[in-house]
Amino acid sequence: MKALLKSRGFQAFAAWVIATYLNFALATTRWTIVNRAVIDGVVDDPAGAVFCFWHGRIAYSPTLGRMVKGRPRRALISKSKDGELIAMTVDRLGYPAIRGSTDQEGVDKGGGIAFREVVRFLRNGGLVAVTPDGPRGPNQVMTVGLPTMTRVSGTKTMLVGFAATPAVQTHGWDKHRIPLPFARAVVIFDGPYAASREDDLDKLAAEWGARLNAIQAQAEGLLDARRG
């Protein structure tokens, strides 16, 4: 049974099921968009950019695809055991995966190949979705990988906060939220942010992480206020 669950054929089928469900759930969700001008400005700019959100909100990220007007886009997905299924799923959702992740020093754990691929894609005007606390956390804590990627590519990063109700929360390290159909949701955009050669990367990581937590809390607060 374990061999079946790990087989590529089964994972491909599971990815199809998950992608089909998420497309339905997100299409039936009533979205409130805060700071829409931020994403519109990034999309209208031919330069590349990073969309950054916490790993626990990755199921909501396909809705970004409806806002980027056909711009080329990829997703940075880790090489963890769960990464293969996630990569297959996001590919079906319109975000072909670049496999790898960034460590505390901002160097790809797969030898730098994925990091260089992301940088090249960004420099060519692509949009890349990144979860800076994946693949194992700590939850909602940003390391220097994202600021490093932003600096090296010479592009900018946009922070994204998601909240929706009803949703199912899992018990994993990232407290992953799974959207349910016909939900109400809030997405907040913040930025874009740049990283220059003079910037302290540790300081930027702390500042961006705090800001992302702030807009995530704001999204959840707006949702609670409307529910009340």
Side-chain angles (χ1 to χ4, degrees):
M1 179 61 72
K2 289 184 178 180
L4 173 63
L5 295 178
K6 293 180 180 179
S7 70
R8 187 168 182 84
F10 179 84
Q11 289 193 327
F13 173 73
W16 175 81
V17 172
I18 295 170
T20 300
Y21 170 78
L22 288 178
N23 275 327
F24 173 72
L26 296 175
T28 60
T29 296
R30 292 172 291 169
W31 288 93
T32 297
I33 303 172
V34 180
N35 296 337
R36 177 64 185 259
V38 172
I39 187 172
D40 287 343
V42 169
V43 171
D44 292 339
D45 187 337
V50 178
F51 295 94
C52 168
F53 43 88
W54 295 129
H55 197 275
R57 304 311 193 283
I58 195 170
Y60 297 111
S61 62
T63 195
L64 297 174
R66 300 179 175 89
M67 304 180 190
V68 297
K69 303 176 182 178
R71 287 282 300 275
R73 54 191 182 271
R74 305 286 296 274
L76 180 61
I77 305 297
S78 77
K79 293 183 177 180
S80 65
K81 292 181 179 179
D82 295 333
E84 184 66 23
L85 176 58
I86 297 175
M88 291 182 179
T89 302
V90 298
D91 184 70
R92 288 184 172 275
L93 292 167
Y95 285 86
I98 297 174
R99 299 301 305 277
S101 56
T102 53
D103 64 14
Q104 296 286 344
E105 286 73 41
V107 179
D108 178 71
K109 294 177 180 177
I113 297 174
F115 186 85
R116 291 192 292 271
E117 186 176 352
V118 168
V119 168
R120 183 167 56 250
F121 187 72
L122 288 168
R123 286 175 174 172
N124 288 330
L127 306 177
V128 178
V130 173
T131 56
D133 55 342
R136 295 184 180 88
N139 186 31
Q140 297 189 189
V141 175
M142 189 179 297
T143 63
V144 299
L146 179 63
T148 301
M149 182 187 301
T150 305
R151 172 193 281 177
V152 173
S153 65
T155 55
K156 295 182 179 180
T157 286
M158 179 169 55
L159 308 180
V160 188
F162 293 105
T165 186
V168 176
Q169 180 175 307
T170 66
H171 297 290
W173 68 267
D174 62 351
K175 298 180 181 179
H176 188 75
R177 268 78 163 180
I178 301 173
L180 296 178
F182 306 103
R184 291 181 296 108
V186 174
V187 55
I188 299 180
F189 298 104
D190 186 41
Y193 295 97
S196 71
R197 292 182 177 274
E198 292 74 29
D199 286 323
D200 182 299
L201 294 178
D202 288 303
K203 184 177 180 180
L204 277 186
E207 291 175 352
W208 292 5
R211 185 58 194 163
L212 185 51
N213 277 325
I215 64 170
Q216 183 60 53
Q218 182 184 355
E220 292 165 2
L222 287 173
L223 197 63
D224 288 341
R226 297 187 180 197
R227 181 166 47 188

